[in-house]
Amino acid sequence: MESFDILLERSTKVHGHICAGQVIGVRLSLLGLEAIGIQDPRGLDRKKLYVLVEIDRCATDAIQSVTGCSLGKRSMRWIDYGVMAATFVNLDTGKAVRIVAREESRELSKKYCPEIENKYERQLGAYRVMPQEELFTIDEVHVDIPEEDMPGRPLKRVQCESCGDWVQDCRDVEKDGKSLCRGCVNGKYYKSVN
């Protein structure tokens, strides 16, 4: 693995600016990878790693940058819980850990960088040096990843019998004897202007 500083620099480029979330994401990734026995996530171990992120914030960009996992590669999955947490899974061994950034670390930042008045700058500095047990909670977990969520080619493609869109990876819904897309069943998130 590259050093923390190099990984943080790469993450900052991907994200567009440095922030406390970048520091948390890089440290969280390093801890998760070590815990599940992944040493080269962007190289030799890339097909062994699967990451589930629970928030769509800064740390997720850092996790993607460090691990090489992404939604497009289907090696990262976003579970919209709104929690600053990620679960790292070693697909070869099944070993998995869920790591949560502790809310208390915000207040603890005063202990590590009391000279910095701006809370965002203080957190940025403190999260670099804070012991991991004060910054994170880590739990060994078990994750069942459905076959249709695994990396690789789509398992099936089905055309929606209502709108005609093509649905991949078993995301179609059977309703009244028809194969439909989720948008036709549950309502679409958009409205056509034509």
Side-chain angles (χ1 to χ4, degrees):
M1 280 302 293
E2 295 161 302
S3 73
F4 170 81
D5 290 327
I6 289 171
L7 293 170
L8 183 60
E9 183 179 325
R10 180 189 301 143
S11 173
T12 299
K13 286 179 184 173
V14 167
H15 186 62
H17 66 274
I18 184 73
C19 64
Q22 294 303 296
V23 175
I24 286 174
V26 171
R27 289 199 59 195
L28 190 145
S29 297
L30 291 171
L31 179 60
L33 294 169
E34 180 182 349
I36 64 167
I38 298 288
Q39 296 178 8
D40 188 8
R42 300 175 70 83
L44 292 174
D45 293 333
R46 74 184 183 283
K47 293 192 179 211
K48 298 178 187 176
L49 180 60
Y50 194 91
V51 178
L52 298 99
V53 293
E54 299 181 21
I55 197 162
D56 57 346
R57 293 281 178 183
C58 308
T60 297
D61 284 348
I63 293 166
Q64 179 175 330
S65 173
V66 171
T67 65
C69 293
S70 71
L71 294 173
K73 292 179 195 170
R74 296 181 58 79
S75 54
M76 177 179 277
R77 184 151 177 89
W78 174 42
I79 310 295
D80 190 10
Y81 286 178
V83 176
M84 184 69 78
T87 299
F88 297 79
V89 181
N90 184 322
L91 295 172
D92 277 0
T93 66
K95 184 161 184 158
V97 293
R98 180 175 182 262
I99 304 172
V100 181
R102 297 173 55 110
E103 186 65 24
E104 301 85 9
S105 65
R106 294 175 186 267
E107 194 61 31
L108 280 172
S109 68
K110 293 175 184 174
K111 173 180 163 184
Y112 292 94
C113 294
E115 71 284 0
I116 303 174
E117 288 188 36
N118 178 287
K119 72 177 182 177
Y120 301 109
E121 293 295 321
R122 183 175 59 242
Q123 290 166 357
L124 179 64
Y127 294 166
R128 288 174 180 254
V129 298
M130 193 177 287
Q132 69 186 30
E133 60 274 2
E134 291 185 8
L135 192 54
F136 303 113
T137 300
I138 182 169
D139 291 304
E140 192 165 334
V141 298
H142 174 77
V143 180
D144 286 317
I145 304 170
E147 191 177 356
E148 63 268 16
D149 289 347
M150 293 292 287
R153 294 193 164 282
L155 296 179
K156 94 179 187 185
R157 290 173 29 97
V158 176
Q159 189 169 24
C160 177
E161 293 181 55
S162 179
C163 71
D165 284 350
W166 283 90
V167 183
Q168 297 186 65
D169 299 312
C170 305
R171 297 319 195 251
D172 56 304
V173 178
E174 290 290 325
K175 185 173 181 185
D176 299 326
K178 293 183 177 182
S179 288
L180 302 171
C181 70
R182 292 179 179 182
C184 286
V185 172
N186 301 321
K188 300 189 187 288
Y189 69 91
Y190 62 89
K191 292 181 184 176
S192 181
V193 293
N194 297 332

